[in-house]
Amino acid sequence: MENGINGKVVVITGGSSGLGEATARHLAAKGATVAIAARRADRLGAIVADIETAGGKAKAYTTDVSDKAQVNALITDVLADFGHIDVLVNNAGLMAIAPMSEGHTDEWDRMIDINIKGLLYGVAAALPVFEKQGSGHFVNIASVAGIKVFSPGGTVYSGTKFAVRAISEGLRHEVGGSIRVTTIEPGVIDTELKFGSSHQASQDFVVDFYKQAIPADSVARAIAYAIEQPANVDVNEIVLRPTVQEF
Ligand SMILES: NC(=O)c1ccc[n+]([C@@H]2O[C@H](COP(=O)([O-])OP(=O)(O)OC[C@H]3O[C@@H](n4cnc5c(N)ncnc54)[C@H](OP(=O)(O)O)[C@@H]3O)[C@@H](O)[C@H]2O)c1
């Protein structure tokens, strides 16, 4: 099957739930080999087993993206296992919503460590591989909260997603030529993200706001669209949200 996805090796961080899991299942069904990375090894193992039962190719890599050495090991191990890497989906993320006045500095640290630094570690590890291959594709997951500040409550989360867009655009400009960079900016999608805050009132608000959410495979299809284009077409940004979503 020649579909622009079949035979590609795709590394997906945050592959144990939500958008990462849906993307792994969708791309594997189209013939990609998916390397899924996250902290919860049991969840990864179950998803790999499902994909294999359905005839797909997948492997699990237990990884904490906030640890640079673990991200380096992920890329090194996938390369050793499959010989090349075509796509890195920098998807792992945390949304810990709370008013600034609550001063949840531990959760600010974690969002910066996972959403920004984790993505940068992925870029640092995969870019030399892509440059050596003369090809590669970064798919970075930002958010509509990276276009408009999600305030009150989402200020730091928005800050991390504005950073993802800025880094992605700079990266595209610097490495363009043979390496592609796509930023995906989803609206409200039904995943575990809405449970990321320890601030109960904010979490209650988010869970209510997420009643309008659309399924995670909507984002998986957007990612597949960017990957399946010919090598000389770089889909740079895709914004998608529920039709009923106002923000
Ligand atoms: N859902 C939405 O409405 C929405 C909208 C816009 C953007 N996004 C973005 O989409 C991405 C995926 O989120 P989601 O909605 O699919 O939420 P999710 O269901 O909570 O998934 C988050 C994923 O990130 C992983 N993760 C968290 N911390 C990690 C770490 N330190 N190291 C490695 N993996 C880590 C989690 O796995 P483990 O816990 O097993 O490590 C999980 O697989 C995030 O970047 C999020 O900001 C989501």
Side-chain angles (χ1 to χ4, degrees):
M1 122 178 81
E2 184 39 63
N3 59 12
I5 292 174
N6 187 34
K8 287 191 172 166
V9 176
V10 182
V11 183
I12 304 171
T13 68
S16 62
S17 67
L19 309 188
E21 174 183 351
T23 301
R25 291 179 187 276
H26 187 71
L27 296 178
K30 287 179 171 280
T33 297
V34 292
I36 54 174
R39 294 164 304 174
R40 288 172 293 177
D42 54 336
R43 294 280 293 262
L44 292 175
I47 294 162
V48 166
D50 268 5
I51 289 173
E52 287 176 343
T53 302
K57 296 193 193 100
K59 187 162 179 185
Y61 299 83
T62 307
T63 311
D64 183 335
V65 298
S66 65
D67 181 331
K68 198 189 312 184
Q70 291 189 36
V71 178
N72 284 335
L74 165 67
I75 297 301
T76 303
D77 290 350
V78 175
L79 200 55
D81 288 340
F82 301 110
H84 66 284
I85 298 173
D86 298 289
V87 186
L88 171 61
V89 183
N90 279 308
N91 165 75
L94 171 69
M95 180 175 77
I97 300 293
M100 295 299 284
S101 56
E102 292 288 323
H104 283 190
T105 52
D106 288 350
E107 289 181 342
W108 299 352
D109 283 343
R110 287 177 58 217
M111 285 190 282
I112 290 166
D113 287 349
I114 298 166
N115 302 2
I116 304 178
K117 290 167 73 177
L119 178 142
L120 285 170
Y121 296 154
V123 170
L127 186 53
V129 176
F130 289 173
E131 286 178 329
K132 194 167 168 202
Q133 292 174 167
S135 67
H137 190 171
F138 293 102
V139 178
N140 294 335
I141 310 301
S143 169
V144 293
I147 300 173
K148 195 157 107 181
V149 178
F150 184 37
S151 166
T155 300
V156 178
Y157 178 72
S158 270
T160 67
K161 294 303 185 178
F162 272 71
V164 170
R165 285 183 65 221
I167 291 162
S168 301
E169 173 55 12
L171 179 66
R172 179 199 71 76
H173 193 220
E174 285 194 38
V175 305
S178 58
I179 297 169
R180 304 193 290 179
V181 181
T182 301
T183 312
I184 308 282
E185 287 127 11
V188 176
I189 316 292
D190 187 20
T191 69
E192 296 172 16
L193 195 77
K194 57 180 174 280
F195 303 121
S197 176
S198 64
H199 186 248
Q200 195 57 50
S202 296
Q203 178 148 312
D204 292 346
F205 166 79
V206 170
V207 168
D208 190 57
F209 187 66
Y210 267 65
K211 284 181 181 156
Q212 62 187 318
I214 51 176
D217 67 340
S218 58
V219 177
R221 291 194 300 276
I223 292 172
Y225 172 77
I227 295 174
E228 73 194 2
Q229 299 308 308
N232 62 350
V233 177
D234 190 2
V235 177
N236 299 131
E237 284 195 79
I238 300 177
V239 185
L240 71 153
R241 48 163 72 77
T243 309
V244 298
Q245 184 180 341
E246 186 269 327
F247 175 84

